[in-house]
Amino acid sequence: MDKPSPKQKSFVIAKRLVWEAWLQVKANKGAPGVDGETLEAFEADLENNLFKIWNRMSSGTYFPPPVRAVQIPKPHESGYRMLGVPTVADRVAQTVVAMVLEPLVEPRFVADSFGYRPGVSAHQALEVCRKRCWEYDWVIDLDVQKFFDEVPWELVLKAVQAVCPERWVRLYVQRWLEAPLRHPDGTLEQRDRGTPQGSAVSPVLANLFMHYAFDLWIARTYPGCPYERYADDAVVHCRSRRQAELVLGGIAKRIAELGLRLHPEKTRIVYCKDANRRRRHEHTSFVFLGYQFRAREAPGRDGVKFTAFLPAVSPQALKAKGQRLRALRIERHTDLTLNDLARWLNPIVAGWMNYYGQYYRSQLYPLLQRVSFYLRRWAAAKYKRLRTLKRFKAWWQGIQAREPALFAHWRWVRAF
């Protein structure tokens, strides 16, 4: 990056910004894009690669390559979603723009916007939602159908223009929006809307769009209805069913005006039924960020149990993680030692515990016990002598006595 700079450039972009963007990309790791170049290969010629990015971006001649389309499992339910994987160089360029945009948009974002923001987490959104469900009897569970596939470009660019005076930022945002998707069979998909999930700049663009399209609008139109939004997933709280129906009708009209659609099956009005709220309604539960909110038994201050409206890991998330666990085929890895298994499994299982164990963690216990079940099958496949229950039990209890923290899930579930 110490190469001489041409005297005249179309745009003023600091070289230091490109370097800091590279450090972020390197820390985030990630797979190669359409060119197959890995982070290690990019770093092998780092100075030249970063100079090319800076030089082309400063000259207005940077054109992003196609984005590699990859299907990945959905985080909190079964099924897959399409992820766009840019090249390493393109991730650096996108991160440069994201680093310029974030300080401009963060002060504008409202407190009830939680997705993809520094210092803000999904657990914070869940906690706010949990408390509001006790205060408000009705919830609108919103889901914008295919948001990342169908968000209109012209409105995204208009939102960027409203917050950023830099012409080069708007130029490159437009070029990234227009970059085609390359599918595994080699075909290129030219798009006229949408922003693929997986890019460095996509989260801030999605949040910026929803800030103007939804957050500011609902605050003006329905100031008495608080909400929590995480990207395109939102929950709106209402005092009555009539109010909820009115608000949902207004939201549906607003979303349609933006060229988007509410998911007809996932969007619904929910009654927060518990011990004190006993009305009948078709829907008395909803899922938000992988947690299902519904009536659950809870201990009172006097030790007497009562029914409260509480979140816990959703059945969809449990099913998805169970499928992931089965797909690991733990019992087939007899070439590994027990310590090897722990090093492999603990980051995965601890991640589930940390995220889904925040509320009503006992709902997670059956999944964790399945980890032990697969470990037992592994032990039986590796050691013939452990195929009887009596011998396995003695071996299992001996390991737990010697190394009680060997497996992450043993903190909560020790049985097999």
Side-chain angles (χ1 to χ4, degrees):
M1 289 289 287
D2 294 329
K3 295 183 178 183
S5 306
K7 292 184 178 180
Q8 291 184 340
K9 289 290 184 185
S10 300
F11 307 115
V12 178
I13 302 174
K15 290 182 178 179
R16 181 71 186 177
L17 193 60
V18 179
W19 170 253
E20 291 174 355
W22 155 249
L23 294 179
Q24 278 196 28
V25 169
K26 183 180 179 181
N28 292 336
K29 301 181 181 179
V34 294
D35 59 358
E37 186 177 41
T38 63
L39 282 166
E40 292 76 18
F42 184 90
E43 192 171 19
D45 193 18
L46 184 61
E47 183 177 351
N48 283 328
N49 286 330
L50 294 184
F51 180 81
K52 287 178 187 176
I53 295 169
W54 171 81
N55 189 40
R56 291 173 182 173
M57 292 188 75
S58 299
S59 303
T61 58
Y62 179 81
F63 289 89
V67 178
R68 184 166 68 93
V70 179
Q71 278 195 334
I72 64 167
K74 291 183 178 180
H76 305 303
E77 57 185 294
S78 300
Y80 293 86
R81 65 177 180 179
M82 189 64 71
L83 192 72
V85 182
T87 63
V88 176
D90 200 33
R91 293 208 294 273
V92 174
Q94 289 189 26
T95 304
V96 169
V97 169
M99 292 173 67
V100 171
L101 279 176
E102 283 173 0
L104 298 175
V105 301
E106 270 301 312
R108 298 170 181 260
F109 287 160
V110 299
D112 288 329
S113 170
F114 294 91
Y116 309 122
R117 296 180 58 193
V120 184
S121 71
H123 283 158
Q124 289 174 300
L126 289 163
E127 178 62 17
V128 173
C129 184
R130 183 176 74 109
K131 292 179 177 178
R132 285 175 176 165
C133 283
W134 298 340
E135 184 180 352
Y136 293 80
D137 293 349
W138 296 85
V139 157
I140 304 172
D141 182 15
L142 289 175
D143 187 280
V144 181
Q145 190 170 21
K146 296 182 178 180
F147 171 77
F148 284 93
D149 295 332
E150 297 186 357
V151 60
W153 291 348
E154 64 273 14
L155 295 182
V156 173
L157 292 170
K158 188 176 180 181
V160 172
Q161 187 173 3
V163 300
C164 183
E166 300 289 351
R167 189 165 62 89
W168 63 271
V169 170
R170 300 193 298 274
L171 172 68
Y172 291 127
V173 166
Q174 181 171 354
R175 289 180 183 175
W176 280 312
L177 291 173
E178 295 172 350
L181 274 173
R182 176 172 289 174
H183 291 277
D185 62 1
T187 58
L188 286 178
E189 178 189 347
Q190 298 289 343
R191 299 169 299 114
D192 59 3
R193 58 182 52 237
T195 172
Q197 296 183 71
S199 70
V201 76
S202 180
V204 68
L205 295 180
N207 259 345
L208 184 58
F209 172 83
M210 289 298 285
H211 172 71
Y212 287 106
F214 182 81
D215 296 348
L216 297 184
W217 172 84
I218 197 170
R220 291 193 309 268
T221 312
Y222 304 107
C225 298
Y227 66 95
E228 301 82 43
R229 182 179 63 78
Y230 197 98
D232 60 325
D233 197 4
V235 171
V236 182
H237 302 268
C238 299
R239 294 289 184 186
S240 67
R241 178 174 178 172
R242 184 177 179 181
Q243 184 186 44
E245 291 170 345
L246 176 68
V247 174
L248 178 55
I251 293 173
K253 183 179 178 182
R254 170 65 173 177
I255 295 298
E257 290 171 351
L258 299 170
L260 298 168
R261 296 168 292 169
L262 293 179
H263 197 293
E265 297 176 1
K266 294 182 179 180
T267 299
R268 59 186 62 183
I269 293 173
V270 177
Y271 179 54
C272 301
K273 189 173 183 178
D274 58 21
N276 297 320
R277 297 176 287 192
R278 302 183 181 184
R279 294 178 58 177
R280 291 179 179 270
H281 186 66
E282 180 183 5
H283 303 295
T284 55
S285 69
F286 67 92
V287 175
F288 182 49
L289 300 178
Y291 277 78
Q292 184 185 54
F293 287 71
R294 66 170 177 83
R296 302 180 191 276
E297 196 175 69
R301 294 179 182 176
D302 55 0
V304 178
K305 292 183 178 181
F306 69 104
T307 303
F309 197 79
L310 297 171
V313 58
S314 71
Q316 298 92 326
L318 281 174
K319 181 180 178 181
K321 301 313 171 189
Q323 291 172 341
R324 169 79 191 284
L325 189 61
R326 184 169 63 251
L328 294 177
R329 302 296 184 193
I330 295 170
E331 68 277 9
R332 296 186 181 182
H333 293 272
T334 53
D335 57 317
L336 301 180
T337 67
L338 199 61
N339 286 330
D340 290 336
L341 281 178
R343 281 191 290 271
W344 172 39
L345 295 174
N346 280 349
I348 300 171
V349 176
W352 297 345
M353 295 168 65
N354 292 337
Y355 185 78
Y356 295 109
Q358 186 77 8
Y359 301 103
Y360 223 91
R361 73 183 191 191
S362 61
Q363 291 293 105
L364 201 59
Y365 291 172
L367 176 66
L368 300 181
Q369 193 154 350
R370 286 184 64 183
V371 179
S372 295
F373 169 77
Y374 287 119
L375 288 175
R376 181 183 175 185
R377 292 179 63 174
W378 170 87
K382 188 176 179 72
Y383 307 108
K384 290 183 179 180
R385 63 184 177 82
L386 297 181
R387 292 178 183 176
T388 65
L389 177 60
K390 184 176 180 180
R391 288 183 176 179
F392 174 79
K393 186 176 181 180
W395 175 80
W396 182 264
Q397 291 175 344
I399 292 172
Q400 288 184 333
R402 293 190 301 273
E403 298 182 80
L406 180 60
F407 287 96
H409 70 288
W410 282 356
R411 288 187 286 130
W412 295 355
V413 175
R414 298 180 67 83
F416 57 86

